[in-house]
Amino acid sequence: QVQLAESEGGLVQPGGSLRLSCTASGSIFRLNAMGWYRQAPGKQRELVAAITRGGGADYADSVKGRFTISSDNATDTVYLQMNSLKPEDTAVYYCNADGVYTSRGVQDYWGQGTQVTVSS
């Protein structure tokens, strides 16, 4: 079994910053990509940012220029640096590991989610 351990989110004021981290553990041979999704009340879960093993990154238009995703392949850890936070960034943020190869085959895994609230 693979586990994704997310750091805690929290409450931050508009314009503030917050960093999230997520580490995948277990009997992992390799994985294709890791990323962050978020889901606000009444909305569908959406991709925030993702990064591949080769370091290529993709961002939602709403966070470009404000968020930065990075990773450490040696520890299967992904980070999301969130700057210039806005109230509309408020959501539950979920870590995702895509295309995880284990002895059981290939699967996707999700973290438990952590609440990020941007409010004054």
Side-chain angles (χ1 to χ4, degrees):
Q1 187 68 246
V2 173
Q3 297 83 40
L4 300 184
E6 298 182 18
S7 63
E8 293 294 323
L11 175 65
V12 61
Q13 294 184 346
S17 298
L18 189 67
R19 189 181 74 145
L20 301 179
S21 65
C22 174
T23 299
S25 63
S27 300
I28 302 171
F29 295 118
R30 71 178 180 92
L31 53 83
N32 291 331
M34 297 187 74
W36 292 93
Y37 289 71
R38 68 186 181 188
Q39 187 167 23
K43 295 185 178 181
Q44 291 186 311
R45 188 174 299 185
E46 65 174 352
L47 174 68
V48 178
I51 187 167
T52 67
R53 294 179 68 249
D58 194 25
Y59 298 89
D61 288 340
S62 60
V63 307
K64 287 181 179 177
R66 299 188 298 119
F67 291 10
T68 301
I69 189 169
S70 60
S71 64
D72 182 348
N73 289 338
T75 59
D76 289 331
T77 299
V78 64
Y79 305 90
L80 185 67
Q81 179 66 46
M82 301 182 288
N83 298 327
S84 302
L85 282 161
K86 304 175 180 180
E88 51 262 46
D89 295 318
T90 296
V92 176
Y93 284 70
Y94 296 89
C95 178
N96 169 259
D98 178 72
V100 181
Y101 290 76
T102 71
S103 62
R104 295 186 178 185
V106 184
Q107 294 179 259
D108 296 342
Y109 292 90
W110 293 89
Q112 66 180 17
T114 187
Q115 178 71 45
V116 174
T117 302
V118 184
S119 176
S120 59

